[in-house]
Amino acid sequence: MTTAPTWDDLLTTALLGTDRRTLPLDPADLAGREAPAALLDAAAVAAVRRRAGLRPGPAGPRPEPAPADTRPALPSAAAHRLTLLLADRPGGGGGRRGSTPDLTELLPQWLASANTHGYAAPPHMVPALLDAARARTDLRPAALEFAGARALWLARLNPDWRFAQRSASGGTSALPGAEDAEGIRRLWQEGLFAERVALLTALRARTPSAARELLAETWAQERAEDRLMFLDSLRAGLTADDEPFLEQSLGDRSRNVRATAAELLCTLPGSALAARMARRAATCVALDHTGSTAAIVVEAPAVCDPEMERDGVTARPPAGRGERSWWLGQLVESAPLDTWPDRLGGRTPEQIVALPVTDDWQGELHAAWCRAAVRQRDARWARALLGAPSAPEAGGPGAVSLADRAKLLAALEADERAAWVAGFIAGHGLSEAFQLLGVCALPWTAPLGRAVVDALDIAREAGSYPWSFSGVMGLAERCLDPAETARLDSLLAVPDEREDASPGAGGYWAEAFQRLATTLRLRAAMVRELAPDGGA
């Protein structure tokens, strides 16, 4: 009786090919068949034999039941909508055509609204939520919050969902209460990194001093990358009580930790470090009265001494930057902005920004003031540096790029921010507005929404190349207030194409506006479905 070939023999033959390796079968078994077909038949028989010969292993322990979710159940209409959103898959290619809404872009808004209402995710949909969050990191915080403790329970059973265990927001449901001092200490000493970050963040929100004291206990034993993450958690609720700990961190052996500690101290205007930076910066910037009009004169630091390095100044500049201008920029951006009115003759930020700066230092000085306004979230200086939205090139002297303007806008209140961007669009169109629109609160205010729609209509009437505005159109689908839907009715028809227009542009614009209107109606329906009465 011929011994049946082993699985390894069959696998090796399949990998090498039957023309390079003799088939491990008795010639009688071939019965005139071609070798590849005989190999597949033998493999099929071997596969059945292997499965039939397996012995059942010992039963493992049953997992603990998933924790209960006491939040209110999702309305049935909203649950059906979530099923559709999760089932949709993003399409490939570049610009989208057609009037069908992109459901994948509506999922973040749906999750945010569901979390605002405090709904619990239907248990059978938690796996799909985890799959969606695995594929899109931007969904993770909202998806894990909505999925709740069941997401963590499932993540322990499937390695594909390990990201949920690493997420601080996903781990807060299992944190000990404020009264459980022993549980807090044990989790801090023994927990996973994500659990420790979650614990520190939660403690910081309710008892800032307790979080700081907990961190101080193990600070010297923590890894540098962990110290950096822990230190960053102190941003929330930062007060003068944190100054001694941050001052101590200025001597940390990690350069990144020292830099972060210095940055946090600079956001405390009354800190000793802020005062030191103010004194240094003030020696570099002064008024020059020798001319017919007042001007600012700059004398950049000649050296970067050890005390400056300890306070967070990086001595070595990046490629292409001069040392002295690099040091000057760091000093000015770290000094409290209240330093400058007293130093420069009692002038307001607007008056200071308007002063000429000698010896070509204006760009460097104003760029540093931009960074300081962003770091200190100073709306007065942000307004002065932004300038009027209708100004040439749409920015003040310090707003050297769209990225700078977007950051400065973040220092303003939402309505003022939207009004500035609306004015920018009215004066300059949409060609450079995409980055600025990204910092505006959702949904867009009525004036901002009107400015965007009007600018799109102007671009359409001008016969502009339609693909140039696909990004703004996509933003409008997510950010335009659904109340603006009625204003789009007049834009849904295919316009007569001008001779100088891009071929097919009219049809594209009609499709794009139809998709925008359809998306806005869908978003309005989502809001109704998530209402406590389920949109009834």
Side-chain angles (χ1 to χ4, degrees), residues 249-314:
S249 300
L250 290 175
D252 195 273
R253 56 187 179 274
S254 166
R255 181 174 61 85
N256 290 333
V257 171
R258 295 196 302 270
T260 300
E263 180 188 349
L264 292 174
L265 284 168
C266 287
T267 63
L268 292 172
S271 69
L273 182 139
R276 295 193 296 270
M277 288 299 196
R279 288 194 297 271
R280 291 170 180 137
T283 63
C284 300
V285 181
L287 277 179
D288 179 11
H289 294 288
T290 58
S292 57
T293 58
I296 295 176
V297 61
V298 174
E299 181 66 31
V303 295
C304 180
D305 56 45
E307 289 76 16
M308 289 169 59
E309 289 195 64
R310 180 185 181 276
D311 284 349
V313 177
T314 302

Short mmCIF file of all heavy atoms in Angstrom, two decimals, residues 249-314:
data_model
loop_
_atom_site.label_atom_id
_atom_site.label_comp_id
_atom_site.label_asym_id
_atom_site.label_seq_id
_atom_site.Cartn_x
_atom_site.Cartn_y
_atom_site.Cartn_z
N SER A 249 10.71 71.02 35.03
CA SER A 249 10.85 70.27 33.78
C SER A 249 11.74 70.97 32.78
O SER A 249 12.16 70.35 31.78
CB SER A 249 9.45 70.05 33.17
OG SER A 249 8.64 69.31 34.05
N LEU A 250 12.06 72.25 33.00
CA LEU A 250 12.98 72.94 32.10
C LEU A 250 14.38 72.33 32.17
O LEU A 250 15.18 72.54 31.25
CB LEU A 250 13.05 74.42 32.46
CG LEU A 250 11.79 75.26 32.16
CD1 LEU A 250 11.97 76.68 32.67
CD2 LEU A 250 11.48 75.26 30.67
N GLY A 251 14.67 71.59 33.23
CA GLY A 251 15.95 70.92 33.34
C GLY A 251 15.91 69.48 32.91
O GLY A 251 16.87 68.73 33.18
N ASP A 252 14.84 69.06 32.25
CA ASP A 252 14.70 67.66 31.83
C ASP A 252 15.79 67.29 30.84
O ASP A 252 16.29 68.13 30.08
CB ASP A 252 13.32 67.45 31.20
CG ASP A 252 12.95 65.99 31.06
OD1 ASP A 252 13.31 65.38 30.04
OD2 ASP A 252 12.30 65.47 31.98
N ARG A 253 16.15 65.99 30.84
CA ARG A 253 17.20 65.53 29.94
C ARG A 253 16.74 65.45 28.49
O ARG A 253 17.56 65.33 27.57
CB ARG A 253 17.72 64.18 30.39
CG ARG A 253 16.68 63.08 30.52
CD ARG A 253 17.28 61.83 31.13
NE ARG A 253 16.29 60.75 31.29
CZ ARG A 253 15.49 60.61 32.32
NH1 ARG A 253 15.55 61.50 33.31
NH2 ARG A 253 14.64 59.61 32.40
N SER A 254 15.43 65.50 28.24
CA SER A 254 14.89 65.45 26.87
C SER A 254 14.66 66.86 26.34
O SER A 254 13.98 67.67 26.98
CB SER A 254 13.58 64.66 26.85
OG SER A 254 12.90 64.86 25.63
N ARG A 255 15.21 67.14 25.17
CA ARG A 255 15.03 68.47 24.59
C ARG A 255 13.57 68.75 24.28
O ARG A 255 13.08 69.86 24.48
CB ARG A 255 15.86 68.59 23.31
CG ARG A 255 15.76 69.95 22.63
CD ARG A 255 16.73 70.03 21.46
NE ARG A 255 16.44 69.03 20.46
CZ ARG A 255 15.53 69.20 19.47
NH1 ARG A 255 14.81 70.31 19.42
NH2 ARG A 255 15.34 68.27 18.57
N ASN A 256 12.82 67.74 23.80
CA ASN A 256 11.41 67.95 23.48
C ASN A 256 10.59 68.24 24.73
O ASN A 256 9.66 69.06 24.69
CB ASN A 256 10.86 66.71 22.77
CG ASN A 256 11.41 66.56 21.37
OD1 ASN A 256 11.80 67.54 20.74
ND2 ASN A 256 11.48 65.33 20.88
N VAL A 257 10.92 67.58 25.83
CA VAL A 257 10.21 67.85 27.08
C VAL A 257 10.50 69.27 27.54
O VAL A 257 9.60 70.00 27.98
CB VAL A 257 10.60 66.82 28.15
CG1 VAL A 257 10.04 67.21 29.52
CG2 VAL A 257 10.11 65.43 27.76
N ARG A 258 11.77 69.68 27.46
CA ARG A 258 12.12 71.05 27.86
C ARG A 258 11.37 72.07 27.01
O ARG A 258 10.85 73.07 27.52
CB ARG A 258 13.63 71.27 27.71
CG ARG A 258 14.49 70.43 28.64
CD ARG A 258 15.91 70.98 28.70
NE ARG A 258 16.55 71.03 27.40
CZ ARG A 258 17.27 70.04 26.87
NH1 ARG A 258 17.40 68.89 27.53
NH2 ARG A 258 17.84 70.17 25.69
N ALA A 259 11.29 71.82 25.71
CA ALA A 259 10.62 72.76 24.81
C ALA A 259 9.13 72.85 25.13
O ALA A 259 8.55 73.94 25.11
CB ALA A 259 10.83 72.35 23.36
N THR A 260 8.50 71.72 25.41
CA THR A 260 7.08 71.73 25.74
C THR A 260 6.82 72.43 27.06
O THR A 260 5.86 73.20 27.19
CB THR A 260 6.54 70.29 25.79
OG1 THR A 260 6.73 69.66 24.52
CG2 THR A 260 5.05 70.27 26.13
N ALA A 261 7.68 72.18 28.05
CA ALA A 261 7.53 72.87 29.34
C ALA A 261 7.66 74.38 29.15
O ALA A 261 6.89 75.17 29.74
CB ALA A 261 8.57 72.35 30.33
N ALA A 262 8.63 74.80 28.34
CA ALA A 262 8.81 76.23 28.09
C ALA A 262 7.60 76.82 27.38
O ALA A 262 7.15 77.93 27.71
CB ALA A 262 10.08 76.45 27.27
N GLU A 263 7.07 76.09 26.42
CA GLU A 263 5.88 76.59 25.70
C GLU A 263 4.70 76.77 26.65
O GLU A 263 3.99 77.77 26.59
CB GLU A 263 5.53 75.61 24.59
CG GLU A 263 4.30 76.03 23.79
CD GLU A 263 3.84 74.97 22.81
OE1 GLU A 263 4.58 73.99 22.60
OE2 GLU A 263 2.73 75.12 22.28
N LEU A 264 4.49 75.79 27.53
CA LEU A 264 3.38 75.90 28.48
C LEU A 264 3.58 77.07 29.43
O LEU A 264 2.64 77.80 29.75
CB LEU A 264 3.24 74.60 29.26
CG LEU A 264 2.78 73.38 28.45
CD1 LEU A 264 2.81 72.12 29.31
CD2 LEU A 264 1.38 73.59 27.90
N LEU A 265 4.80 77.27 29.88
CA LEU A 265 5.07 78.39 30.78
C LEU A 265 4.86 79.73 30.09
O LEU A 265 4.44 80.70 30.72
CB LEU A 265 6.51 78.30 31.32
CG LEU A 265 6.73 77.26 32.42
CD1 LEU A 265 8.22 77.04 32.66
CD2 LEU A 265 6.04 77.69 33.71
N CYS A 266 5.14 79.79 28.79
CA CYS A 266 4.96 81.04 28.06
C CYS A 266 3.48 81.40 27.92
O CYS A 266 3.15 82.56 27.67
CB CYS A 266 5.61 80.95 26.68
SG CYS A 266 7.41 81.01 26.73
N THR A 267 2.60 80.41 28.03
CA THR A 267 1.17 80.71 27.97
C THR A 267 0.63 81.20 29.30
O THR A 267 -0.53 81.60 29.38
CB THR A 267 0.37 79.47 27.52
OG1 THR A 267 0.53 78.43 28.49
CG2 THR A 267 0.85 78.98 26.17
N LEU A 268 1.46 81.17 30.34
CA LEU A 268 1.11 81.76 31.64
C LEU A 268 1.78 83.12 31.72
O LEU A 268 2.97 83.23 32.03
CB LEU A 268 1.61 80.86 32.78
CG LEU A 268 0.93 79.50 32.94
CD1 LEU A 268 1.66 78.66 33.98
CD2 LEU A 268 -0.54 79.68 33.33
N PRO A 269 1.06 84.21 31.41
CA PRO A 269 1.71 85.53 31.34
C PRO A 269 2.43 85.94 32.62
O PRO A 269 3.39 86.70 32.58
CB PRO A 269 0.53 86.48 31.04
CG PRO A 269 -0.52 85.60 30.44
CD PRO A 269 -0.37 84.27 31.10
N GLY A 270 1.99 85.42 33.77
CA GLY A 270 2.63 85.81 35.02
C GLY A 270 3.76 84.91 35.44
O GLY A 270 4.30 85.07 36.55
N SER A 271 4.17 83.96 34.61
CA SER A 271 5.21 83.03 35.01
C SER A 271 6.58 83.71 34.99
O SER A 271 6.80 84.70 34.29
CB SER A 271 5.23 81.82 34.08
OG SER A 271 5.69 82.17 32.79
N ALA A 272 7.50 83.13 35.76
CA ALA A 272 8.86 83.67 35.81
C ALA A 272 9.53 83.54 34.44
O ALA A 272 10.28 84.43 34.02
CB ALA A 272 9.67 82.94 36.87
N LEU A 273 9.27 82.44 33.73
CA LEU A 273 9.87 82.28 32.42
C LEU A 273 9.36 83.34 31.45
O LEU A 273 10.14 83.91 30.68
CB LEU A 273 9.60 80.88 31.87
CG LEU A 273 10.24 80.61 30.50
CD1 LEU A 273 10.83 79.21 30.45
CD2 LEU A 273 9.24 80.76 29.37
N ALA A 274 8.05 83.62 31.49
CA ALA A 274 7.51 84.66 30.61
C ALA A 274 8.17 86.00 30.90
O ALA A 274 8.47 86.78 29.98
CB ALA A 274 6.00 84.75 30.79
N ALA A 275 8.41 86.28 32.18
CA ALA A 275 9.08 87.54 32.53
C ALA A 275 10.51 87.57 32.02
O ALA A 275 10.99 88.60 31.52
CB ALA A 275 9.06 87.72 34.05
N ARG A 276 11.21 86.44 32.11
CA ARG A 276 12.58 86.39 31.60
C ARG A 276 12.61 86.60 30.09
O ARG A 276 13.46 87.33 29.56
CB ARG A 276 13.23 85.05 31.96
CG ARG A 276 13.42 84.83 33.45
CD ARG A 276 14.36 83.65 33.74
NE ARG A 276 13.85 82.37 33.29
CZ ARG A 276 13.10 81.55 34.03
NH1 ARG A 276 12.73 81.92 35.25
NH2 ARG A 276 12.72 80.37 33.57
N MET A 277 11.67 85.95 29.40
CA MET A 277 11.60 86.12 27.94
C MET A 277 11.25 87.57 27.58
O MET A 277 11.76 88.11 26.59
CB MET A 277 10.59 85.15 27.35
CG MET A 277 11.05 83.70 27.35
SD MET A 277 12.55 83.47 26.37
CE MET A 277 12.57 81.69 26.16
N ALA A 278 10.36 88.18 28.36
CA ALA A 278 9.99 89.57 28.08
C ALA A 278 11.20 90.49 28.21
O ALA A 278 11.41 91.39 27.38
CB ALA A 278 8.88 90.00 29.03
N ARG A 279 12.02 90.27 29.25
CA ARG A 279 13.21 91.11 29.42
C ARG A 279 14.18 90.93 28.26
O ARG A 279 14.75 91.90 27.75
CB ARG A 279 13.89 90.78 30.74
CG ARG A 279 13.14 91.27 31.97
CD ARG A 279 14.02 91.21 33.21
NE ARG A 279 14.41 89.84 33.54
CZ ARG A 279 13.71 89.04 34.33
NH1 ARG A 279 12.57 89.47 34.86
NH2 ARG A 279 14.14 87.83 34.59
N ARG A 280 14.37 89.69 27.86
CA ARG A 280 15.30 89.44 26.75
C ARG A 280 14.80 90.05 25.45
O ARG A 280 15.55 90.69 24.70
CB ARG A 280 15.49 87.93 26.56
CG ARG A 280 16.24 87.24 27.69
CD ARG A 280 16.17 85.75 27.53
NE ARG A 280 16.89 85.04 28.58
CZ ARG A 280 16.44 83.97 29.20
NH1 ARG A 280 15.25 83.45 28.88
NH2 ARG A 280 17.16 83.39 30.14
N ALA A 281 13.49 89.84 25.16
CA ALA A 281 12.94 90.36 23.91
C ALA A 281 12.95 91.88 23.90
O ALA A 281 13.19 92.51 22.86
CB ALA A 281 11.52 89.83 23.71
N ALA A 282 12.68 92.48 25.07
CA ALA A 282 12.62 93.94 25.13
C ALA A 282 13.97 94.58 24.84
O ALA A 282 14.04 95.70 24.32
CB ALA A 282 12.11 94.39 26.51
N THR A 283 15.06 93.88 25.16
CA THR A 283 16.39 94.43 24.85
C THR A 283 16.69 94.38 23.35
O THR A 283 17.64 95.03 22.89
CB THR A 283 17.49 93.65 25.61
OG1 THR A 283 17.49 92.29 25.17
CG2 THR A 283 17.25 93.70 27.11
N CYS A 284 15.89 93.60 22.61
CA CYS A 284 16.13 93.45 21.17
C CYS A 284 15.25 94.36 20.32
O CYS A 284 15.55 94.57 19.14
CB CYS A 284 15.88 92.00 20.75
SG CYS A 284 16.93 90.79 21.56
N VAL A 285 14.17 94.89 20.88
CA VAL A 285 13.19 95.66 20.11
C VAL A 285 12.94 96.97 20.84
O VAL A 285 12.61 96.98 22.03
CB VAL A 285 11.87 94.88 19.94
CG1 VAL A 285 10.87 95.70 19.12
CG2 VAL A 285 12.13 93.53 19.30
N ALA A 286 13.06 98.08 20.12
CA ALA A 286 12.86 99.40 20.74
C ALA A 286 12.38 100.38 19.68
O ALA A 286 12.35 100.07 18.48
CB ALA A 286 14.16 99.88 21.38
N LEU A 287 11.98 101.58 20.15
CA LEU A 287 11.58 102.65 19.24
C LEU A 287 12.79 103.45 18.81
O LEU A 287 13.69 103.72 19.61
CB LEU A 287 10.58 103.58 19.93
CG LEU A 287 9.11 103.16 19.94
CD1 LEU A 287 8.28 104.19 20.70
CD2 LEU A 287 8.57 102.99 18.53
N ASP A 288 12.81 103.83 17.56
CA ASP A 288 13.86 104.67 17.00
C ASP A 288 13.25 106.03 16.68
O ASP A 288 12.38 106.15 15.82
CB ASP A 288 14.44 104.02 15.74
CG ASP A 288 15.53 104.86 15.10
OD1 ASP A 288 15.99 105.82 15.74
OD2 ASP A 288 15.92 104.55 13.97
N HIS A 289 13.70 107.08 17.42
CA HIS A 289 13.14 108.42 17.22
C HIS A 289 14.07 109.31 16.40
O HIS A 289 13.85 110.53 16.32
CB HIS A 289 12.89 109.09 18.58
CG HIS A 289 11.81 108.41 19.38
ND1 HIS A 289 10.48 108.48 19.05
CD2 HIS A 289 11.89 107.63 20.48
CE1 HIS A 289 9.76 107.80 19.93
NE2 HIS A 289 10.58 107.26 20.81
N THR A 290 15.10 108.75 15.82
CA THR A 290 16.07 109.59 15.12
C THR A 290 15.52 110.10 13.79
O THR A 290 15.98 111.13 13.29
CB THR A 290 17.36 108.79 14.85
OG1 THR A 290 17.04 107.62 14.08
CG2 THR A 290 18.00 108.36 16.18
N GLY A 291 14.57 109.43 13.22
CA GLY A 291 14.01 109.87 11.95
C GLY A 291 12.86 110.85 12.13
O GLY A 291 12.51 111.25 13.25
N SER A 292 12.24 111.21 11.03
CA SER A 292 11.11 112.14 11.08
C SER A 292 9.87 111.49 11.66
O SER A 292 8.99 112.18 12.17
CB SER A 292 10.82 112.69 9.68
OG SER A 292 10.55 111.60 8.78
N THR A 293 9.76 110.18 11.55
CA THR A 293 8.63 109.46 12.12
C THR A 293 9.16 108.31 12.97
O THR A 293 10.28 107.82 12.76
CB THR A 293 7.72 108.89 11.01
OG1 THR A 293 8.49 108.01 10.17
CG2 THR A 293 7.11 110.01 10.18
N ALA A 294 8.34 107.88 13.93
CA ALA A 294 8.74 106.77 14.80
C ALA A 294 8.86 105.48 14.00
O ALA A 294 8.11 105.24 13.05
CB ALA A 294 7.73 106.61 15.93
N ALA A 295 9.82 104.67 14.38
CA ALA A 295 10.03 103.38 13.74
C ALA A 295 10.54 102.40 14.80
O ALA A 295 10.98 102.79 15.88
CB ALA A 295 11.01 103.48 12.58
N ILE A 296 10.47 101.14 14.48
CA ILE A 296 10.97 100.10 15.37
C ILE A 296 12.36 99.70 14.91
O ILE A 296 12.59 99.44 13.71
CB ILE A 296 10.04 98.87 15.36
CG1 ILE A 296 8.67 99.24 15.95
CG2 ILE A 296 10.65 97.72 16.16
CD1 ILE A 296 7.65 98.11 15.89
N VAL A 297 13.28 99.65 15.84
CA VAL A 297 14.64 99.20 15.55
C VAL A 297 14.86 97.87 16.26
O VAL A 297 14.41 97.66 17.38
CB VAL A 297 15.68 100.24 16.00
CG1 VAL A 297 15.62 100.48 17.51
CG2 VAL A 297 17.09 99.81 15.59
N VAL A 298 15.53 96.97 15.58
CA VAL A 298 15.75 95.61 16.09
C VAL A 298 17.24 95.34 16.18
O VAL A 298 18.00 95.63 15.24
CB VAL A 298 15.09 94.56 15.17
CG1 VAL A 298 15.45 93.14 15.61
CG2 VAL A 298 13.57 94.73 15.17
N GLU A 299 17.65 94.78 17.32
CA GLU A 299 19.02 94.32 17.50
C GLU A 299 18.94 92.87 17.98
O GLU A 299 18.64 92.60 19.14
CB GLU A 299 19.76 95.18 18.53
CG GLU A 299 21.20 94.78 18.77
CD GLU A 299 22.08 94.98 17.54
OE1 GLU A 299 21.80 95.92 16.75
OE2 GLU A 299 23.04 94.21 17.36
N ALA A 300 19.17 91.93 17.08
CA ALA A 300 19.02 90.51 17.40
C ALA A 300 20.09 90.06 18.38
O ALA A 300 21.18 90.67 18.46
CB ALA A 300 19.10 89.68 16.13
N PRO A 301 19.83 89.02 19.17
CA PRO A 301 20.82 88.54 20.13
C PRO A 301 22.12 88.14 19.44
O PRO A 301 22.12 87.56 18.35
CB PRO A 301 20.14 87.32 20.77
CG PRO A 301 18.69 87.48 20.49
CD PRO A 301 18.59 88.21 19.20
N ALA A 302 23.23 88.41 20.10
CA ALA A 302 24.53 88.06 19.53
C ALA A 302 24.91 86.62 19.84
O ALA A 302 25.67 86.00 19.09
CB ALA A 302 25.61 89.01 20.07
N VAL A 303 24.41 86.10 20.96
CA VAL A 303 24.72 84.72 21.37
C VAL A 303 23.46 84.09 21.95
O VAL A 303 22.53 84.78 22.37
CB VAL A 303 25.86 84.67 22.42
CG1 VAL A 303 27.17 85.18 21.84
CG2 VAL A 303 25.48 85.44 23.67
N CYS A 304 23.47 82.76 22.01
CA CYS A 304 22.42 82.01 22.71
C CYS A 304 23.09 81.37 23.91
O CYS A 304 23.78 80.34 23.78
CB CYS A 304 21.80 80.95 21.79
SG CYS A 304 20.49 79.98 22.58
N ASP A 305 22.93 81.99 25.08
CA ASP A 305 23.64 81.52 26.27
C ASP A 305 22.92 80.33 26.91
O ASP A 305 21.78 80.00 26.54
CB ASP A 305 23.81 82.66 27.28
CG ASP A 305 22.49 83.29 27.68
OD1 ASP A 305 21.53 82.53 27.95
OD2 ASP A 305 22.39 84.52 27.71
N PRO A 306 23.56 79.63 27.84
CA PRO A 306 22.94 78.46 28.47
C PRO A 306 21.60 78.76 29.15
O PRO A 306 20.70 77.90 29.16
CB PRO A 306 23.99 78.01 29.49
CG PRO A 306 25.29 78.51 28.93
CD PRO A 306 24.96 79.80 28.27
N GLU A 307 21.46 79.95 29.72
CA GLU A 307 20.18 80.29 30.36
C GLU A 307 19.06 80.36 29.33
O GLU A 307 17.93 79.93 29.60
CB GLU A 307 20.31 81.62 31.11
CG GLU A 307 21.16 81.57 32.36
CD GLU A 307 22.65 81.52 32.04
OE1 GLU A 307 23.03 81.83 30.88
OE2 GLU A 307 23.43 81.15 32.93
N MET A 308 19.35 80.89 28.16
CA MET A 308 18.34 80.93 27.10
C MET A 308 17.97 79.52 26.66
O MET A 308 16.79 79.21 26.45
CB MET A 308 18.86 81.73 25.90
CG MET A 308 18.94 83.24 26.16
SD MET A 308 19.85 84.13 24.86
CE MET A 308 18.88 83.74 23.41
N GLU A 309 18.97 78.64 26.52
CA GLU A 309 18.68 77.27 26.12
C GLU A 309 17.83 76.56 27.16
O GLU A 309 16.92 75.80 26.81
CB GLU A 309 19.98 76.51 25.89
CG GLU A 309 20.75 76.94 24.64
CD GLU A 309 21.82 75.95 24.26
OE1 GLU A 309 21.47 74.80 23.91
OE2 GLU A 309 23.02 76.32 24.31
N ARG A 310 18.12 76.79 28.44
CA ARG A 310 17.32 76.17 29.49
C ARG A 310 15.87 76.63 29.42
O ARG A 310 14.94 75.87 29.70
CB ARG A 310 17.90 76.50 30.87
CG ARG A 310 17.09 75.87 32.02
CD ARG A 310 17.60 76.31 33.37
NE ARG A 310 16.83 75.70 34.44
CZ ARG A 310 15.68 76.16 34.91
NH1 ARG A 310 15.16 77.28 34.40
NH2 ARG A 310 15.02 75.53 35.87
N ASP A 311 15.66 77.87 28.99
CA ASP A 311 14.30 78.41 28.90
C ASP A 311 13.61 78.07 27.59
O ASP A 311 12.56 78.62 27.28
CB ASP A 311 14.32 79.92 29.09
CG ASP A 311 14.52 80.32 30.55
OD1 ASP A 311 14.42 79.43 31.42
OD2 ASP A 311 14.78 81.51 30.83
N GLY A 312 14.17 77.14 26.84
CA GLY A 312 13.47 76.63 25.67
C GLY A 312 13.94 77.17 24.34
O GLY A 312 13.39 76.79 23.30
N VAL A 313 14.93 78.03 24.29
CA VAL A 313 15.43 78.56 23.03
C VAL A 313 16.35 77.51 22.40
O VAL A 313 17.31 77.05 23.02
CB VAL A 313 16.20 79.88 23.24
CG1 VAL A 313 16.79 80.37 21.92
CG2 VAL A 313 15.28 80.93 23.84
N THR A 314 16.05 77.14 21.17
CA THR A 314 16.86 76.18 20.44
C THR A 314 18.02 76.92 19.80
O THR A 314 17.82 77.86 19.03
CB THR A 314 16.03 75.47 19.36
OG1 THR A 314 14.92 74.82 19.99
CG2 THR A 314 16.86 74.44 18.62
#
